[in-house]
Amino acid sequence: MPFRGPSDLHLHSDRSDGTESPTGVMEAARAEGIRTAALTDHDTTAGWDEAAEAARARGMSFLPGMELSTRREWRSIHILAYLFDPDDPALRREIERIRRSRRDRIEEMVTRIGRDYTLSLADVLTEGTDDATVGRPHIADALVRAGIVADRSAAFADILSPRGPYYVSLYAPDPLVAVQLVADAGGVAIMAHPASRAGQLATRDLDEMVSAGLAGFELGHRENSGAHLRMLRAYCATGDLIVTGSSDYHGAGKPNRPGEHTTDDEMVARILEAGVGTAPTLG
Ligand code: AMP
Ligand code: FE
Ligand code: FE
Ligand code: ZN
């Protein structure tokens, strides 16, 4: 496979909650020395074409990707999907359902916040592109712009907290369903930041997901830590699963820098081999 490392396979643009265009994201990755990159916006493929072109223009390789929102009980689980068919009807239906729920949920959260602060839905929606997947980060940016909080992190710690009075949950499929949808669409499913505090699954749940097609785990990620990460290292080695490492870059929205974690060439090759739903751009 003619691609070159270093590879960063988890980056967000302004088609979801990153602050830069897909071109800007590829530029930022290239500036940090990345030669193979994926765009993985939340629940959308809207940035693929622009990112592929930007990567090509810079002599980089590009993997089309997405980060799917899923939930099991209270756990928010993110599933990274690579090289799937963006026109697969079942996957598209599910993404549309999540995105519709996200819009309704943002509207309801803004209504609640608007009782205590001066904030309108229009203020929030202007923070993203017209086709962006909306999320709490867009509310955060509107709160920052209005001078109500200092930055995104402050907003998440207080007004946007799931334990606070303004929080509304979104519809999200079970992670097992998401893995099946991605696999059926010819894609490669990797569990994002699996040892973060947002939600860690027990081994028997992981076994079930691996049987359904979960190909691997993003073990290199700044939010992973502790005993669960050590367990997953052994789990991946024993099962010969794919292991990735990525930055989860969000532009100015998070401190994460492109290339702060990277994926080994051998693992990138396995993803390229397994993903048959759409073609990468190799350069
Ligand atoms: P949502 O999916 O709308 O509930 O929002 C979650 C998103 O917010 C995640 O995808 C993160 O990228 C982002 N996020 C979560 N916590 C923070 C934080 N403390 N600072 C900035 N962004 C955050
Ligand atoms: Fe995000
Ligand atoms: Fe995530
Ligand atoms: Zn992410």
Side-chain angles (χ1 to χ4, degrees):
M1 292 275 185
F3 72 93
R4 283 174 297 176
S7 303
D8 188 339
L9 303 184
H10 185 168
L11 305 157
H12 293 267
S13 77
D14 60 7
R15 268 48 173 189
S16 65
D17 57 354
T19 58
E20 293 165 348
S21 68
T23 302
V25 172
M26 292 301 128
E27 182 60 43
R30 188 68 196 85
E32 298 288 349
I34 295 301
R35 293 193 165 271
T36 295
L39 188 71
T40 54
D41 278 312
H42 299 281
D43 310 309
T44 183
T45 63
W48 284 13
D49 291 348
E50 185 185 320
E53 186 47 45
R56 195 195 327 268
R58 289 163 181 77
M60 302 164 69
S61 293
F62 174 71
L63 279 72
M66 178 170 71
E67 186 174 17
L68 262 167
S69 307
T70 83
R71 188 172 58 220
R72 181 167 288 180
E73 296 161 344
W74 53 269
R75 295 175 186 82
S76 168
I77 312 277
H78 286 173
I79 301 292
L80 290 162
Y82 299 104
L83 301 167
F84 59 91
D85 175 5
D87 297 320
D88 180 83
L91 184 53
R92 278 189 72 110
R93 249 194 320 275
E94 196 58 33
I95 296 165
E96 276 316 310
R97 188 171 173 193
I98 298 169
R99 289 166 57 81
R100 238 185 347 264
S101 161
R102 282 179 161 284
R103 284 191 292 270
D104 295 346
R105 170 259 200 158
I106 288 302
E107 204 172 320
E108 178 59 25
M109 283 189 71
V110 170
T111 300
R112 294 185 186 187
I113 294 167
R115 290 177 192 139
D116 294 333
Y117 302 92
T118 304
L119 181 77
S120 73
L121 185 60
D123 295 338
V124 172
L125 296 182
T126 55
E127 295 296 339
T129 59
D130 285 348
D131 57 353
T133 299
V134 288
R136 285 182 289 159
H138 299 102
I139 303 181
D141 290 349
L143 291 168
V144 172
R145 196 180 295 273
I148 296 167
V149 296
D151 54 26
R152 275 192 187 185
S153 293
F156 272 89
D158 179 15
I159 296 177
L160 301 177
S161 165
R163 288 167 298 282
Y166 310 117
Y167 186 80
V168 177
S169 64
L170 58 107
Y171 162 78
D174 186 85
L176 183 63
V177 171
V179 164
Q180 285 163 337
L181 284 168
V182 172
D184 288 349
V188 183
I190 303 283
M191 192 178 288
H193 40 76
S196 70
R197 293 195 319 184
Q200 305 178 354
L201 292 174
T203 309
R204 64 177 177 284
D205 297 318
L206 299 180
D207 289 344
E208 191 182 21
M209 291 175 66
V210 169
S211 297
L214 182 66
F217 292 83
E218 183 190 51
L219 298 189
H221 187 291
R222 62 159 67 201
E223 287 168 31
N224 289 331
S225 65
H228 198 66
L229 176 58
R230 291 194 291 278
M231 184 283 284
L232 285 172
R233 281 209 188 93
Y235 185 85
C236 289
T238 305
D240 192 28
L241 300 172
I242 295 174
V243 171
T244 68
S246 310
S247 65
D248 206 356
Y249 180 63
H250 280 70
K254 281 188 172 182
N256 311 31
R257 304 308 308 166
E260 66 175 37
H261 287 279
T262 55
T263 301
D264 291 348
D265 290 354
E266 176 213 338
M267 297 296 176
V268 178
R270 284 175 65 177
I271 292 171
L272 288 169
E273 183 76 29
V276 295
T278 194
T281 308
L282 300 175

